[in-house]
Amino acid sequence: MRPNASRIRLPLLALILLLSSAQALADASRRAPWTEDSLRPSLAVTIDDLPVGPPSRHDLDQQTRITERLLAVLRARAVPAIGFVNEARLEREGELDPERVALLRRWLDAGMALGNHGYEHLSLHRVEPEIWIEDALRGDIVTRRLLAERGMTPVWFRHPYLHVGRSAEIQRMTAQALAERGYRIAPVTVDNGEWVYADAYARAWNANDRESMERIGRDYLRYMLEMVVFYENQSLAIVGEPIPQTLLIHANALNADYLGPLLDALSERGYRFVDLEQATKHPAYQRPIHGYTGPGGITWLHRWALTAGVDASVFRGEPEVPDWVDALRHASSVDGAN
Ligand SMILES: [Zn+2]
């Protein structure tokens, strides 16, 4: 990670030669050492809070723009993403809005998958499990119909806030209810504070504050790459080898503008993009998660580790969202997400 330290001890001539190709070297130092295609790391992109998430309280035109841009970015790079829907967001004044439903059709038209993220985005840690299950099963009425038009059924469920239950018994009964409806639980390994950046970005976007947007966007890319590297190392420490990672982000204005550069930076690092089905074929994803019943919406890597009794000191060093991003977010009154 620190190749510059050795470079400064090089003889002067070598240093001059080095400087003449400084850009090429900088590019090379960013590249990960995966040379063979079969060894390249892989990552599944999962996008929550469809059609468009709560930090971005946008009108239909803006939601359409966000959706179009996200899908254009994914298609241009042939990235197979899955979008997780909150069907309550498809309604206006209690009625299903056909134009918001049409936004979901665009995801399927673009070749993306759709999953269930609960009807109303309820936390399993804040309501009774029976109420939560009812909401979860109510969350796919429209999505199931859209998928059926194409001969498909919903497969994946993503827990709102990544809250999977405060006891092993609640985890078991809710997982069983989901399985009976044909669902698999969608894991997340690269958890992150993207939603903090998204909140701040949505405020700047609505205020047309281009300077803040660029500043937030640039730091978002830096932070997310550091986070991916952190979870590469967590994977080595916890599983003992690199695993296909599952990335969680949200459908919002931030990603409409910055998902493209983020995917390009990940490609440059060596990543290839796979769907959730492919990523979760790695045996690590069979590991149990019931050992964590705390309040956090944490990564599956840490759930596996805690369930296996691994010392939590291995989790240290997670990159943090800088205070200035959080401060920009509090310039507006918006909800958090996940
Ligand atoms: Zn969510």
Side-chain angles (χ1 to χ4, degrees):
M1 280 303 286
R2 297 283 178 269
N4 290 331
S6 59
R7 274 186 214 152
I8 56 176
R9 290 194 293 270
L10 289 172
L12 185 62
L13 179 62
L15 188 62
I16 290 166
L17 288 170
L18 206 72
L19 287 171
S20 69
S21 58
Q23 188 55 48
L25 283 164
D27 289 344
S29 70
R30 277 202 299 272
R31 216 168 291 143
W34 294 286
T35 47
E36 284 177 46
D37 209 46
S38 60
L39 298 177
R40 285 174 67 197
S42 60
L43 180 141
V45 176
T46 72
I47 304 181
D48 285 10
D49 297 3
L50 263 58
V52 167
S56 316
R57 292 223 171 114
H58 306 303
D59 61 25
L60 182 66
D61 280 352
Q62 291 169 325
Q63 291 200 14
T64 305
R65 268 176 58 204
I66 289 170
T67 303
E68 283 173 350
R69 291 177 73 164
L70 282 173
L71 293 174
V73 160
L74 293 166
R75 287 194 73 166
R77 292 161 182 79
V79 172
I82 179 167
F84 287 95
V85 183
N86 299 123
E87 293 200 356
R89 299 189 206 284
L90 301 174
E91 294 177 4
R92 279 187 75 195
E93 291 157 13
E95 297 286 327
L96 198 60
D97 177 3
E99 295 187 281
R100 283 173 167 77
V101 174
L103 294 179
L104 294 188
R105 278 213 170 83
R106 288 180 187 233
W107 281 77
L108 296 175
D109 289 342
M112 305 300 153
L114 292 178
N116 182 348
H117 193 34
Y119 173 75
E120 246 187 318
H121 206 277
L122 296 183
S123 162
L124 180 50
H125 297 179
R126 294 187 200 125
V127 299
E128 291 301 316
E130 294 78 10
I131 290 171
W132 185 88
I133 289 169
E134 197 181 315
D135 181 85
L137 300 184
R138 186 188 171 193
D140 68 8
I141 295 167
V142 176
T143 309
R144 191 173 284 278
R145 178 160 55 77
L146 296 180
L147 287 169
E149 288 170 6
R150 296 159 200 251
M152 299 186 283
T153 53
V155 174
W156 295 100
F157 184 89
R158 162 67 48 74
H159 286 79
Y161 310 98
L162 304 184
H163 287 172
V164 307
R166 294 301 311 273
S167 72
E169 171 56 17
I170 289 174
Q171 292 187 11
R172 191 201 56 75
M173 72 178 276
T174 50
Q176 188 185 329
L178 292 170
E180 281 168 9
R181 187 67 78 95
Y183 278 113
R184 296 174 65 186
I185 291 171
V188 173
T189 59
V190 184
D191 189 25
N192 55 75
E194 165 256 18
W195 61 273
V196 181
Y197 284 90
D199 251 8
Y201 196 82
R203 188 208 59 80
W205 204 69
N206 283 329
N208 201 26
D209 177 354
R210 312 288 311 181
E211 197 182 318
S212 293
M213 285 165 69
E214 203 193 319
R215 191 169 166 231
I216 295 162
R218 250 199 330 264
D219 199 64
Y220 171 59
L221 296 175
R222 175 202 62 79
Y223 165 85
M224 289 297 270
L225 277 176
E226 283 183 18
M227 195 58 103
V228 167
V229 172
F230 172 77
Y231 281 115
E232 285 171 7
N233 290 322
Q234 291 287 285
S235 171
L236 293 177
I238 293 164
V239 181
E241 63 183 65
I243 59 161
Q245 301 280 355
T246 44
L247 173 71
L248 167 62
I249 55 172
H250 295 83
N252 55 39
L254 172 67
N255 287 312
D257 290 343
Y258 282 92
L259 179 59
L262 175 60
L263 294 175
D264 292 344
L266 290 170
S267 288
E268 195 182 341
R269 193 167 168 76
Y271 275 90
R272 63 196 165 88
F273 300 100
V274 296
D275 65 19
L276 197 49
E277 177 80 35
Q278 184 65 29
T280 54
K281 279 186 178 150
H282 189 283
Y285 286 95
Q286 299 301 318
R287 293 184 177 204
I289 61 166
H290 61 262
Y292 177 73
T293 53
I298 66 171
T299 165
W300 261 240
L301 276 161
H302 293 172
R303 292 174 196 273
W304 299 331
L306 291 166
T307 306
V310 171
D311 187 326
S313 65
V314 77
F315 307 160
R316 283 186 197 142
E318 183 172 329
E320 288 178 9
V321 178
D323 289 344
W324 65 263
V325 179
D326 200 42
L328 282 176
R329 171 177 168 249
H330 293 303
S332 62
S333 56
V334 284
D335 300 324
N338 235 336

